[in-house]
């Protein structure tokens, strides 16, 4: 097996791309070689910032040095780009979701298996130190067996902060498919697979006005539900109440709270890699904050956390010959759960979940950053 760093090509030079490059360059076994974007300007800017190449997609896929393609395009393009990369013989790591439909995701997984290629998919925040601490405390039985939980993603909408928010309200967007993956994936990684869901969904406003430059004042047509609520029943027996919304101006809920047979736990925001972890034990007098002592809590200063950590973990797992944690099986199961909420809302029935996945292995508490096992 080669000990040289794996060369990586990134497709998509949007908001998150610089963070991916900065995170990946923290590791000595991976190097970003090139960037491609439909628009030449953002790709050239990123290339100049990090000393990498801006190239065409065809050139990137034909480059024999590149072993991994990271797909950071918009959700509707995930399937097309990932499929091209897999058929070109490249391993693929995609931003979430894996596809915007189950059929897209199934096809990608089939192509990857046929080519003996790795396929991974964000979100990877559950690999962060705060969530790995949560996993350890739960596995140690600190709150007993999970009985229920609440997961609250309540936002006013991306038009308030994003420079180009329209795609969040089009096909493949909405709060469940955009930010919901952080919550659903985090809960699956902690509690295991989901058995069935029931949900309601609605479009609160059919139009949105952009509040940020450079598109300030433009009108967005809303094509997907912007407020979804429901219940997930896990195979473990836990029932989780979830709400995902782009219609809430302000709230005071914790993002995720786990209620166990012997206590309760507040976990970090699943959109971040770390944060406060608190436990209240049966018979206790107050909440206890547990210090985060696991690796991977902060990214490169000036960037959005450790986005891309899952891609690095996948490369490390590939080199070591073990299963990567941010797997397509996990992403596929989360996608089936998320899309089931809208199907349930339309049918007004409980929807069974047919896929499954194992809980990803925890990252050892004792390792140093730069390692995963």
């Amino acid at each position: 097996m080669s000990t040289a760093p794996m060369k990586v090509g990134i497709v998509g030079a949007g908001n998150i791309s610089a963070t991916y490059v900065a995170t990946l360059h923290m590791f000595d076994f991976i190097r970003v070689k090139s960037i491609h974007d439909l628009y030449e300007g953002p790709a050239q800017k990123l290339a100049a910032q990090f000393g990498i190449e801006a190239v065409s997609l065809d050139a990137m896929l034909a480059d024999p040095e590149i072993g991994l393609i990271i797909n950071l395009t918009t959700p509707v393009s995930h399937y097309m780009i990932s499929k091209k990369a897999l058929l070109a013989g490249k391993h693929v790591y995609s931003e979430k979701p894996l596809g915007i439909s189950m059929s897209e995701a199934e096809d990608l997984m089939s192509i990857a298996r046929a080519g003996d290629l790795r396929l991974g998919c964000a979100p990877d925040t559950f690999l962060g130190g705060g969530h790995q601490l949560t996993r350890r405390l739960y596995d140690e039985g600190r709150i007993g067996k999970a009985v229920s939980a609440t997961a609250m993603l309540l936002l006013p909408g991306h038009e308030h902060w994003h420079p180009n928010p329209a795609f969040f309200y089009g096909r493949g967007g909405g709060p469940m498919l955009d930010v919901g993956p952080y919550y659903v994936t985090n809960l699956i990684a902690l509690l295991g697979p989901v058995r069935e869901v029931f949900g309601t969904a609605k479009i609160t406003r059919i139009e949105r006005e952009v509040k940020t430059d450079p598109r300030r004042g433009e009108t967005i047509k809303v094509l997907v539900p912007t407020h979804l609520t429901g219940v997930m029943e896990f195979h473990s027996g836990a029932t989780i109440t979830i709400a995902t919304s782009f219609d809430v101006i302000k709230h005071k809920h914790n993002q995720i709270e786990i209620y166990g047979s012997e206590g309760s736990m507040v976990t970090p925001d699943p959109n971040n890699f770390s944060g406060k972890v608190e436990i209240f034990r049966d018979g206790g007098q107050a909440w206890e904050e547990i210090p985060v002592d696991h690796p991977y809590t902060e990214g490169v200063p000036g960037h959005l956390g450790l986005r891309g950590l899952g891609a690095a973990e996948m490369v490390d797992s590939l080199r070591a010959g073990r299963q990567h944690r941010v797997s397509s099986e996990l992403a596929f199961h989360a996608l089936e759960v998320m899309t089931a909420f809208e199907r349930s809302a339309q049918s007004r029935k409980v929807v069974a979940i047919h896929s499954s996945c194992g809980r990803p292995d925890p990252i050892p508490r004792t390792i140093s950053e730069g390692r995963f096992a």
Side-chain angles (χ1 to χ4, degrees), residues 182-226:
Y182 296 102
Y183 289 69
V184 174
T185 304
N186 187 285
L187 288 166
I188 294 169
L190 181 64
L191 302 175
V194 177
R195 183 196 306 275
E196 59 187 21
V197 307
F198 178 78
T200 64
K202 64 179 179 179
I203 298 176
T204 302
R205 303 192 300 278
I206 61 172
E207 291 184 346
R208 302 267 179 149
E209 182 182 330
V210 180
K211 308 291 186 182
T212 56
D213 296 328
R215 301 181 181 277
R216 187 184 300 271
E218 291 185 10
T219 298
I220 299 171
K221 299 292 185 182
V222 180
L223 305 177
V224 293
T226 54

Side-chain angles (χ1 to χ4, degrees), residues 62-295:
D63 187 342
E65 286 194 342
I66 289 179
L68 169 66
I69 299 295
I70 296 180
N71 184 356
L72 305 183
T73 59
T74 57
V76 292
S77 300
H78 284 181
Y79 170 70
M80 177 187 68
I81 297 297
S82 293
K83 183 174 182 178
K84 281 186 175 181
L86 290 168
L87 291 174
K90 312 296 187 184
H91 303 292
V92 169
Y93 183 88
S94 174
E95 253 303 326
K96 43 75 184 170
L98 192 58
I100 61 173
S101 69
M102 299 300 294
S103 60
E104 286 186 354
E106 283 180 308
D107 192 37
L108 293 177
M109 293 173 70
S110 177
I111 295 169
R113 284 193 297 268
D116 193 25
L117 296 165
R118 294 291 181 108
L119 176 61
C121 183
D124 53 4
T125 49
F126 72 88
L127 299 177
H131 301 291
Q132 290 295 305
L133 170 61
T134 298
R135 168 71 179 269
R136 175 170 65 82
L137 295 173
Y138 182 72
D139 287 353
E140 288 175 354
R142 296 285 290 274
I143 62 167
K145 183 179 179 181
V147 176
S148 63
T150 54
M152 299 291 162
L153 161 66
L154 306 173
L155 303 171
H158 287 47
E159 70 274 19
H160 292 275
W161 66 271
H162 199 280
N164 185 28
F167 74 87
F168 294 104
Y169 296 97
R171 184 169 173 259
M176 184 59 81
L177 281 184
D178 176 50
V179 193
Y182 296 102
Y183 289 69
V184 174
T185 304
N186 187 285
L187 288 166
I188 294 169
L190 181 64
L191 302 175
V194 177
R195 183 196 306 275
E196 59 187 21
V197 307
F198 178 78
T200 64
K202 64 179 179 179
I203 298 176
T204 302
R205 303 192 300 278
I206 61 172
E207 291 184 346
R208 302 267 179 149
E209 182 182 330
V210 180
K211 308 291 186 182
T212 56
D213 296 328
R215 301 181 181 277
R216 187 184 300 271
E218 291 185 10
T219 298
I220 299 171
K221 299 292 185 182
V222 180
L223 305 177
V224 293
T226 54
H227 190 95
L228 299 94
T229 58
V231 175
M232 297 181 283
E233 182 179 343
F234 284 67
H235 283 276
S236 67
T239 53
I240 281 70
T241 301
I242 186 169
T244 67
S245 181
F246 287 164
D247 297 324
V248 175
I249 296 170
K250 206 72 175 175
H251 69 91
K252 288 187 175 182
H253 293 284
N254 288 308
Q255 284 88 356
I256 294 181
E257 297 185 2
I258 310 293
Y259 312 121
S261 57
E262 298 177 23
S264 298
M265 179 161 52
V266 176
T267 80
D269 182 347
N271 203 358
N272 297 327
F273 287 84
S274 194
K276 185 182 291 188
V277 178
E278 295 181 287
I279 283 182
F280 192 100
R281 294 271 296 170
D282 188 19
Q285 299 298 314
W287 288 92
E288 175 189 4
E289 182 175 349
I290 311 296
V292 178
D293 57 355
H294 286 248

Side-chain angles (χ1 to χ4, degrees), residues 13 35-37 39-56:
I35 178 80
H36 166 76
D37 195 273
Y39 302 98
E40 187 174 336
Q44 292 286 356
K45 180 180 178 181
L46 198 72
Q49 181 181 353
F50 289 99
I52 59 180
E53 305 170 7
V55 299
S56 70

